[in-house]
Amino acid sequence: QVRLVESGGGLVQPGGSLRLSCAVSGSNFTYYNMDWYRQAPGKQRDLVATILHNNSTNYADSVKGRFTISRDNAKTNTVYLQMNSLKPEDTAVYYCHTEGLEAVDTYTDRFLELWGQGTLVTVSS
């Protein structure tokens, strides 16, 4: 079964850095996009960063210049979110998300949309 496995959250002081990881477990999956969303308490889930299969990226205005999404070239279905200059308002549960195709058999692909379990990032002194 294809699923997303996240790691890397925790507590960090303002101005500090964290790196989140997201790996697709299971083989035969090709993603169109992999994204990071975040949801602060009492707020909606918002898109933070996206990386497409061609490695193009996009960021929310609130994190531009501070966060970087990247792909592990050795592990094509693993992405990272490097978060620098963290602020208290970055505190949230961060979710990995992807959409892509799973090769069911030689002739059949099926579309999958997956969410990770979420990892808590707390920025506080």
PDB file of all heavy atoms in Angstrom, residues 4 22-34 51-55 70-80 98:
ATOM      1  N   LEU A   4       2.398   8.004   2.670  1.00  0.00           N
ATOM      2  CA  LEU A   4       3.410   9.022   2.932  1.00  0.00           C
ATOM      3  C   LEU A   4       3.879   8.909   4.374  1.00  0.00           C
ATOM      4  O   LEU A   4       3.065   8.773   5.285  1.00  0.00           O
ATOM      5  CB  LEU A   4       2.844  10.416   2.690  1.00  0.00           C
ATOM      6  CG  LEU A   4       2.419  10.750   1.260  1.00  0.00           C
ATOM      7  CD1 LEU A   4       1.840  12.146   1.194  1.00  0.00           C
ATOM      8  CD2 LEU A   4       3.585  10.614   0.317  1.00  0.00           C
ATOM      9  N   CYS A  22       9.588  13.863   3.814  1.00  0.00           N
ATOM     10  CA  CYS A  22       8.379  13.136   3.419  1.00  0.00           C
ATOM     11  C   CYS A  22       8.787  12.100   2.385  1.00  0.00           C
ATOM     12  O   CYS A  22       9.322  12.455   1.330  1.00  0.00           O
ATOM     13  CB  CYS A  22       7.348  14.090   2.840  1.00  0.00           C
ATOM     14  SG  CYS A  22       5.870  13.279   2.189  1.00  0.00           S
ATOM     15  N   ALA A  23       8.517  10.847   2.682  1.00  0.00           N
ATOM     16  CA  ALA A  23       8.868   9.769   1.770  1.00  0.00           C
ATOM     17  C   ALA A  23       7.624   8.988   1.379  1.00  0.00           C
ATOM     18  O   ALA A  23       6.743   8.749   2.208  1.00  0.00           O
ATOM     19  CB  ALA A  23       9.875   8.827   2.418  1.00  0.00           C
ATOM     20  N   VAL A  24       7.573   8.603   0.122  1.00  0.00           N
ATOM     21  CA  VAL A  24       6.503   7.736  -0.358  1.00  0.00           C
ATOM     22  C   VAL A  24       6.948   6.298  -0.156  1.00  0.00           C
ATOM     23  O   VAL A  24       7.952   5.872  -0.727  1.00  0.00           O
ATOM     24  CB  VAL A  24       6.202   7.978  -1.844  1.00  0.00           C
ATOM     25  CG1 VAL A  24       5.089   7.051  -2.321  1.00  0.00           C
ATOM     26  CG2 VAL A  24       5.837   9.435  -2.094  1.00  0.00           C
ATOM     27  N   SER A  25       6.229   5.577   0.701  1.00  0.00           N
ATOM     28  CA  SER A  25       6.552   4.168   0.892  1.00  0.00           C
ATOM     29  C   SER A  25       5.760   3.352  -0.107  1.00  0.00           C
ATOM     30  O   SER A  25       4.640   3.688  -0.449  1.00  0.00           O
ATOM     31  CB  SER A  25       6.206   3.723   2.311  1.00  0.00           C
ATOM     32  OG  SER A  25       4.806   3.694   2.491  1.00  0.00           O
ATOM     33  N   GLY A  26       6.365   2.285  -0.573  1.00  0.00           N
ATOM     34  CA  GLY A  26       5.723   1.507  -1.623  1.00  0.00           C
ATOM     35  C   GLY A  26       6.301   1.907  -2.965  1.00  0.00           C
ATOM     36  O   GLY A  26       6.684   3.058  -3.179  1.00  0.00           O
ATOM     37  N   SER A  27       6.357   0.975  -3.858  1.00  0.00           N
ATOM     38  CA  SER A  27       7.006   1.226  -5.144  1.00  0.00           C
ATOM     39  C   SER A  27       5.986   1.537  -6.221  1.00  0.00           C
ATOM     40  O   SER A  27       4.791   1.585  -5.963  1.00  0.00           O
ATOM     41  CB  SER A  27       7.836  -0.001  -5.540  1.00  0.00           C
ATOM     42  OG  SER A  27       6.972  -1.137  -5.637  1.00  0.00           O
ATOM     43  N   ASN A  28       6.458   1.766  -7.414  1.00  0.00           N
ATOM     44  CA  ASN A  28       5.602   1.933  -8.594  1.00  0.00           C
ATOM     45  C   ASN A  28       4.697   3.147  -8.496  1.00  0.00           C
ATOM     46  O   ASN A  28       3.570   3.127  -8.983  1.00  0.00           O
ATOM     47  CB  ASN A  28       4.742   0.686  -8.846  1.00  0.00           C
ATOM     48  CG  ASN A  28       5.595  -0.553  -9.039  1.00  0.00           C
ATOM     49  OD1 ASN A  28       6.640  -0.495  -9.669  1.00  0.00           O
ATOM     50  ND2 ASN A  28       5.147  -1.655  -8.479  1.00  0.00           N
ATOM     51  N   PHE A  29       5.179   4.191  -7.856  1.00  0.00           N
ATOM     52  CA  PHE A  29       4.407   5.417  -7.754  1.00  0.00           C
ATOM     53  C   PHE A  29       5.201   6.549  -8.375  1.00  0.00           C
ATOM     54  O   PHE A  29       6.371   6.727  -8.063  1.00  0.00           O
ATOM     55  CB  PHE A  29       4.088   5.744  -6.284  1.00  0.00           C
ATOM     56  CG  PHE A  29       3.302   7.016  -6.108  1.00  0.00           C
ATOM     57  CD1 PHE A  29       1.936   7.042  -6.370  1.00  0.00           C
ATOM     58  CD2 PHE A  29       3.918   8.185  -5.706  1.00  0.00           C
ATOM     59  CE1 PHE A  29       1.206   8.212  -6.212  1.00  0.00           C
ATOM     60  CE2 PHE A  29       3.197   9.354  -5.549  1.00  0.00           C
ATOM     61  CZ  PHE A  29       1.841   9.364  -5.804  1.00  0.00           C
ATOM     62  N   THR A  30       4.557   7.311  -9.229  1.00  0.00           N
ATOM     63  CA  THR A  30       5.168   8.480  -9.851  1.00  0.00           C
ATOM     64  C   THR A  30       4.302   9.681  -9.527  1.00  0.00           C
ATOM     65  O   THR A  30       3.107   9.681  -9.841  1.00  0.00           O
ATOM     66  CB  THR A  30       5.261   8.305 -11.373  1.00  0.00           C
ATOM     67  OG1 THR A  30       6.030   7.139 -11.661  1.00  0.00           O
ATOM     68  CG2 THR A  30       5.925   9.518 -12.011  1.00  0.00           C
ATOM     69  N   TYR A  31       4.921  10.687  -8.916  1.00  0.00           N
ATOM     70  CA  TYR A  31       4.087  11.805  -8.499  1.00  0.00           C
ATOM     71  C   TYR A  31       4.061  12.911  -9.541  1.00  0.00           C
ATOM     72  O   TYR A  31       5.017  13.118 -10.281  1.00  0.00           O
ATOM     73  CB  TYR A  31       4.546  12.361  -7.150  1.00  0.00           C
ATOM     74  CG  TYR A  31       5.869  13.099  -7.160  1.00  0.00           C
ATOM     75  CD1 TYR A  31       5.938  14.452  -7.485  1.00  0.00           C
ATOM     76  CD2 TYR A  31       7.051  12.464  -6.807  1.00  0.00           C
ATOM     77  CE1 TYR A  31       7.126  15.129  -7.481  1.00  0.00           C
ATOM     78  CE2 TYR A  31       8.250  13.135  -6.796  1.00  0.00           C
ATOM     79  CZ  TYR A  31       8.292  14.469  -7.135  1.00  0.00           C
ATOM     80  OH  TYR A  31       9.486  15.148  -7.117  1.00  0.00           O
ATOM     81  N   TYR A  32       2.950  13.614  -9.593  1.00  0.00           N
ATOM     82  CA  TYR A  32       2.843  14.837 -10.380  1.00  0.00           C
ATOM     83  C   TYR A  32       3.379  16.008  -9.568  1.00  0.00           C
ATOM     84  O   TYR A  32       4.080  16.878 -10.078  1.00  0.00           O
ATOM     85  CB  TYR A  32       1.381  15.147 -10.723  1.00  0.00           C
ATOM     86  CG  TYR A  32       0.715  14.150 -11.624  1.00  0.00           C
ATOM     87  CD1 TYR A  32      -0.591  13.736 -11.387  1.00  0.00           C
ATOM     88  CD2 TYR A  32       1.365  13.621 -12.728  1.00  0.00           C
ATOM     89  CE1 TYR A  32      -1.219  12.833 -12.207  1.00  0.00           C
ATOM     90  CE2 TYR A  32       0.748  12.709 -13.554  1.00  0.00           C
ATOM     91  CZ  TYR A  32      -0.550  12.319 -13.283  1.00  0.00           C
ATOM     92  OH  TYR A  32      -1.174  11.414 -14.107  1.00  0.00           O
ATOM     93  N   ASN A  33       3.008  16.031  -8.293  1.00  0.00           N
ATOM     94  CA  ASN A  33       3.396  17.102  -7.394  1.00  0.00           C
ATOM     95  C   ASN A  33       3.507  16.548  -5.987  1.00  0.00           C
ATOM     96  O   ASN A  33       2.814  15.590  -5.635  1.00  0.00           O
ATOM     97  CB  ASN A  33       2.363  18.227  -7.408  1.00  0.00           C
ATOM     98  CG  ASN A  33       0.960  17.738  -7.111  1.00  0.00           C
ATOM     99  OD1 ASN A  33       0.280  17.201  -7.985  1.00  0.00           O
ATOM    100  ND2 ASN A  33       0.513  17.889  -5.867  1.00  0.00           N
ATOM    101  N   MET A  34       4.402  17.126  -5.217  1.00  0.00           N
ATOM    102  CA  MET A  34       4.464  16.866  -3.785  1.00  0.00           C
ATOM    103  C   MET A  34       4.447  18.215  -3.093  1.00  0.00           C
ATOM    104  O   MET A  34       5.126  19.156  -3.530  1.00  0.00           O
ATOM    105  CB  MET A  34       5.695  16.056  -3.397  1.00  0.00           C
ATOM    106  CG  MET A  34       5.631  14.615  -3.931  1.00  0.00           C
ATOM    107  SD  MET A  34       6.914  13.531  -3.293  1.00  0.00           S
ATOM    108  CE  MET A  34       6.307  13.155  -1.650  1.00  0.00           C
ATOM    109  N   ILE A  51       6.486  21.125  -5.075  1.00  0.00           N
ATOM    110  CA  ILE A  51       7.508  20.771  -6.058  1.00  0.00           C
ATOM    111  C   ILE A  51       6.872  19.835  -7.065  1.00  0.00           C
ATOM    112  O   ILE A  51       6.193  18.869  -6.687  1.00  0.00           O
ATOM    113  CB  ILE A  51       8.767  20.161  -5.401  1.00  0.00           C
ATOM    114  CG1 ILE A  51       9.855  19.946  -6.453  1.00  0.00           C
ATOM    115  CG2 ILE A  51       8.452  18.877  -4.640  1.00  0.00           C
ATOM    116  CD1 ILE A  51      11.240  19.702  -5.843  1.00  0.00           C
ATOM    117  N   LEU A  52       7.053  20.164  -8.343  1.00  0.00           N
ATOM    118  CA  LEU A  52       6.508  19.327  -9.400  1.00  0.00           C
ATOM    119  C   LEU A  52       7.538  18.291  -9.834  1.00  0.00           C
ATOM    120  O   LEU A  52       8.718  18.371  -9.479  1.00  0.00           O
ATOM    121  CB  LEU A  52       6.093  20.195 -10.587  1.00  0.00           C
ATOM    122  CG  LEU A  52       5.060  21.273 -10.300  1.00  0.00           C
ATOM    123  CD1 LEU A  52       4.718  22.029 -11.583  1.00  0.00           C
ATOM    124  CD2 LEU A  52       3.816  20.691  -9.666  1.00  0.00           C
ATOM    125  N   HIS A  53       7.083  17.360 -10.650  1.00  0.00           N
ATOM    126  CA  HIS A  53       7.975  16.284 -11.085  1.00  0.00           C
ATOM    127  C   HIS A  53       9.152  16.826 -11.900  1.00  0.00           C
ATOM    128  O   HIS A  53      10.223  16.233 -11.915  1.00  0.00           O
ATOM    129  CB  HIS A  53       7.209  15.251 -11.908  1.00  0.00           C
ATOM    130  CG  HIS A  53       7.953  13.965 -12.071  1.00  0.00           C
ATOM    131  ND1 HIS A  53       8.133  13.066 -11.043  1.00  0.00           N
ATOM    132  CD2 HIS A  53       8.588  13.440 -13.133  1.00  0.00           C
ATOM    133  CE1 HIS A  53       8.840  12.038 -11.486  1.00  0.00           C
ATOM    134  NE2 HIS A  53       9.123  12.238 -12.742  1.00  0.00           N
ATOM    135  N   ASN A  54       8.947  17.998 -12.542  1.00  0.00           N
ATOM    136  CA  ASN A  54      10.056  18.603 -13.298  1.00  0.00           C
ATOM    137  C   ASN A  54      10.940  19.484 -12.420  1.00  0.00           C
ATOM    138  O   ASN A  54      11.777  20.220 -12.916  1.00  0.00           O
ATOM    139  CB  ASN A  54       9.511  19.406 -14.482  1.00  0.00           C
ATOM    140  CG  ASN A  54       8.669  20.593 -14.038  1.00  0.00           C
ATOM    141  OD1 ASN A  54       8.531  20.868 -12.849  1.00  0.00           O
ATOM    142  ND2 ASN A  54       8.099  21.288 -15.012  1.00  0.00           N
ATOM    143  N   ASN A  55      10.729  19.420 -11.115  1.00  0.00           N
ATOM    144  CA  ASN A  55      11.513  20.142 -10.115  1.00  0.00           C
ATOM    145  C   ASN A  55      11.194  21.629 -10.000  1.00  0.00           C
ATOM    146  O   ASN A  55      11.869  22.328  -9.239  1.00  0.00           O
ATOM    147  CB  ASN A  55      13.019  19.980 -10.336  1.00  0.00           C
ATOM    148  CG  ASN A  55      13.551  18.698  -9.717  1.00  0.00           C
ATOM    149  OD1 ASN A  55      12.933  18.136  -8.820  1.00  0.00           O
ATOM    150  ND2 ASN A  55      14.664  18.235 -10.221  1.00  0.00           N
ATOM    151  N   SER A  70      12.655  20.657  -1.654  1.00  0.00           N
ATOM    152  CA  SER A  70      13.597  20.026  -2.571  1.00  0.00           C
ATOM    153  C   SER A  70      13.332  18.532  -2.625  1.00  0.00           C
ATOM    154  O   SER A  70      12.647  17.975  -1.767  1.00  0.00           O
ATOM    155  CB  SER A  70      15.043  20.286  -2.135  1.00  0.00           C
ATOM    156  OG  SER A  70      15.277  19.727  -0.856  1.00  0.00           O
ATOM    157  N   ARG A  71      13.907  17.913  -3.657  1.00  0.00           N
ATOM    158  CA  ARG A  71      13.745  16.473  -3.832  1.00  0.00           C
ATOM    159  C   ARG A  71      15.088  15.803  -3.640  1.00  0.00           C
ATOM    160  O   ARG A  71      16.128  16.350  -4.024  1.00  0.00           O
ATOM    161  CB  ARG A  71      13.198  16.188  -5.228  1.00  0.00           C
ATOM    162  CG  ARG A  71      12.880  14.747  -5.498  1.00  0.00           C
ATOM    163  CD  ARG A  71      12.195  14.578  -6.833  1.00  0.00           C
ATOM    164  NE  ARG A  71      13.122  14.727  -7.947  1.00  0.00           N
ATOM    165  CZ  ARG A  71      12.759  14.556  -9.210  1.00  0.00           C
ATOM    166  NH1 ARG A  71      11.517  14.283  -9.516  1.00  0.00           N
ATOM    167  NH2 ARG A  71      13.645  14.700 -10.161  1.00  0.00           N
ATOM    168  N   ASP A  72      15.065  14.627  -3.061  1.00  0.00           N
ATOM    169  CA  ASP A  72      16.279  13.830  -2.921  1.00  0.00           C
ATOM    170  C   ASP A  72      16.528  13.145  -4.257  1.00  0.00           C
ATOM    171  O   ASP A  72      15.732  12.309  -4.680  1.00  0.00           O
ATOM    172  CB  ASP A  72      16.096  12.812  -1.801  1.00  0.00           C
ATOM    173  CG  ASP A  72      17.380  12.085  -1.467  1.00  0.00           C
ATOM    174  OD1 ASP A  72      18.161  11.788  -2.400  1.00  0.00           O
ATOM    175  OD2 ASP A  72      17.600  11.796  -0.279  1.00  0.00           O
ATOM    176  N   ASN A  73      17.613  13.480  -4.924  1.00  0.00           N
ATOM    177  CA  ASN A  73      17.857  12.924  -6.248  1.00  0.00           C
ATOM    178  C   ASN A  73      18.106  11.423  -6.229  1.00  0.00           C
ATOM    179  O   ASN A  73      17.877  10.726  -7.210  1.00  0.00           O
ATOM    180  CB  ASN A  73      19.039  13.634  -6.909  1.00  0.00           C
ATOM    181  CG  ASN A  73      18.697  15.054  -7.301  1.00  0.00           C
ATOM    182  OD1 ASN A  73      17.556  15.341  -7.632  1.00  0.00           O
ATOM    183  ND2 ASN A  73      19.660  15.939  -7.251  1.00  0.00           N
ATOM    184  N   ALA A  74      18.591  10.919  -5.104  1.00  0.00           N
ATOM    185  CA  ALA A  74      18.845   9.485  -5.002  1.00  0.00           C
ATOM    186  C   ALA A  74      17.571   8.714  -4.666  1.00  0.00           C
ATOM    187  O   ALA A  74      17.480   7.518  -4.911  1.00  0.00           O
ATOM    188  CB  ALA A  74      19.911   9.209  -3.949  1.00  0.00           C
ATOM    189  N   LYS A  75      16.610   9.425  -4.085  1.00  0.00           N
ATOM    190  CA  LYS A  75      15.342   8.809  -3.695  1.00  0.00           C
ATOM    191  C   LYS A  75      14.250   9.671  -4.298  1.00  0.00           C
ATOM    192  O   LYS A  75      13.788  10.632  -3.705  1.00  0.00           O
ATOM    193  CB  LYS A  75      15.195   8.776  -2.180  1.00  0.00           C
ATOM    194  CG  LYS A  75      16.340   8.115  -1.447  1.00  0.00           C
ATOM    195  CD  LYS A  75      16.185   8.297   0.051  1.00  0.00           C
ATOM    196  CE  LYS A  75      17.402   7.781   0.789  1.00  0.00           C
ATOM    197  NZ  LYS A  75      17.306   8.043   2.252  1.00  0.00           N
ATOM    198  N   THR A  76      13.821   9.316  -5.485  1.00  0.00           N
ATOM    199  CA  THR A  76      12.989  10.229  -6.259  1.00  0.00           C
ATOM    200  C   THR A  76      11.646  10.536  -5.611  1.00  0.00           C
ATOM    201  O   THR A  76      11.033  11.534  -5.936  1.00  0.00           O
ATOM    202  CB  THR A  76      12.746   9.664  -7.662  1.00  0.00           C
ATOM    203  OG1 THR A  76      12.196   8.344  -7.535  1.00  0.00           O
ATOM    204  CG2 THR A  76      14.038   9.594  -8.447  1.00  0.00           C
ATOM    205  N   ASN A  77      11.195   9.714  -4.709  1.00  0.00           N
ATOM    206  CA  ASN A  77       9.908   9.981  -4.056  1.00  0.00           C
ATOM    207  C   ASN A  77      10.091  10.452  -2.629  1.00  0.00           C
ATOM    208  O   ASN A  77       9.270  10.163  -1.764  1.00  0.00           O
ATOM    209  CB  ASN A  77       9.030   8.726  -4.111  1.00  0.00           C
ATOM    210  CG  ASN A  77       8.436   8.533  -5.489  1.00  0.00           C
ATOM    211  OD1 ASN A  77       8.448   9.440  -6.310  1.00  0.00           O
ATOM    212  ND2 ASN A  77       7.930   7.355  -5.759  1.00  0.00           N
ATOM    213  N   THR A  78      11.157  11.179  -2.350  1.00  0.00           N
ATOM    214  CA  THR A  78      11.392  11.788  -1.048  1.00  0.00           C
ATOM    215  C   THR A  78      11.624  13.277  -1.241  1.00  0.00           C
ATOM    216  O   THR A  78      12.424  13.670  -2.086  1.00  0.00           O
ATOM    217  CB  THR A  78      12.623  11.178  -0.365  1.00  0.00           C
ATOM    218  OG1 THR A  78      12.405   9.783  -0.152  1.00  0.00           O
ATOM    219  CG2 THR A  78      12.870  11.852   0.976  1.00  0.00           C
ATOM    220  N   VAL A  79      10.886  14.069  -0.487  1.00  0.00           N
ATOM    221  CA  VAL A  79      11.062  15.520  -0.559  1.00  0.00           C
ATOM    222  C   VAL A  79      11.329  16.050   0.844  1.00  0.00           C
ATOM    223  O   VAL A  79      10.976  15.416   1.844  1.00  0.00           O
ATOM    224  CB  VAL A  79       9.849  16.233  -1.185  1.00  0.00           C
ATOM    225  CG1 VAL A  79       9.682  15.828  -2.623  1.00  0.00           C
ATOM    226  CG2 VAL A  79       8.601  16.008  -0.373  1.00  0.00           C
ATOM    227  N   TYR A  80      11.927  17.221   0.865  1.00  0.00           N
ATOM    228  CA  TYR A  80      12.272  17.875   2.112  1.00  0.00           C
ATOM    229  C   TYR A  80      11.696  19.289   2.128  1.00  0.00           C
ATOM    230  O   TYR A  80      11.495  19.903   1.084  1.00  0.00           O
ATOM    231  CB  TYR A  80      13.787  17.960   2.269  1.00  0.00           C
ATOM    232  CG  TYR A  80      14.480  16.638   2.170  1.00  0.00           C
ATOM    233  CD1 TYR A  80      15.121  16.252   0.998  1.00  0.00           C
ATOM    234  CD2 TYR A  80      14.493  15.760   3.250  1.00  0.00           C
ATOM    235  CE1 TYR A  80      15.759  15.033   0.906  1.00  0.00           C
ATOM    236  CE2 TYR A  80      15.130  14.533   3.163  1.00  0.00           C
ATOM    237  CZ  TYR A  80      15.757  14.174   1.985  1.00  0.00           C
ATOM    238  OH  TYR A  80      16.377  12.964   1.892  1.00  0.00           O
ATOM    239  N   THR A  98       0.534  14.465  -1.808  1.00  0.00           N
ATOM    240  CA  THR A  98       0.972  14.183  -3.159  1.00  0.00           C
ATOM    241  C   THR A  98      -0.190  13.677  -4.016  1.00  0.00           C
ATOM    242  O   THR A  98      -1.187  13.161  -3.502  1.00  0.00           O
ATOM    243  CB  THR A  98       2.108  13.137  -3.167  1.00  0.00           C
ATOM    244  OG1 THR A  98       2.634  13.009  -4.489  1.00  0.00           O
ATOM    245  CG2 THR A  98       1.608  11.774  -2.732  1.00  0.00           C
TER     246      THR A  98
END
